[in-house]
Amino acid sequence: MAKKSSQGGLVYSTEFGRACPACGSPVDQCSCSDDVVPEGDGVVRVSRETKGRGGKVITLVSGVPLAGSELKTLAKELKKKCGVGGALKDGIIEIQGEQRDLLVSELTKRGFTVKKVGG
């Protein structure tokens, strides 16, 4: 007997027990949560954005060649350095406010190739 979640994904099967909601394979054999370094050109891009935020500015850091917990740690350290809040969403670090100059200098110190994007 297989149970399904309210969103339609398999969550439990009598064949193998708990199932990963993302890939459907047994939890102990799931590989979708493994840290994979994103492929790219190796350039970290720092931009600013105001769309959909009520006129408030955020700074976006994308293309960082780190995965999982390393990226999370970097985001935490950058937020601390800027003295503001932020988030990590889909591999893109969001920092509140106009922080491009500070972030470019900090990321360059850490050995990344950094490029300012946008106006």
Side-chain angles (χ1 to χ4, degrees), residues 30-38 66-73 88:
C30 176
S31 63
C32 63
S33 65
D34 290 346
D35 292 341
V36 177
V37 177
L66 298 175
S69 60
E70 294 174 335
L71 187 61
K72 197 178 223 181
T73 303
L88 176 63

Side-chain angles (χ1 to χ4, degrees), residues 5 34-35 37 41 49 52-53 67 100 108 116:
S5 70
D34 290 346
D35 292 341
V37 177
D41 57 359
E49 185 178 284
R53 301 177 195 288
R100 284 195 303 176
T108 304
K116 266 190 183 179

Side-chain angles (χ1 to χ4, degrees), residues 3-11 20-22:
K3 292 183 182 179
K4 293 197 178 228
S5 70
S6 60
Q7 285 123 7
L10 182 68
V11 292
C20 173

Side-chain angles (χ1 to χ4, degrees), residues 100-112:
R100 284 195 303 176
D101 296 328
L102 182 60
L103 289 173
V104 167
S105 65
E106 181 65 24
L107 289 167
T108 304
K109 273 192 245 179
R110 292 175 183 255
F112 294 106

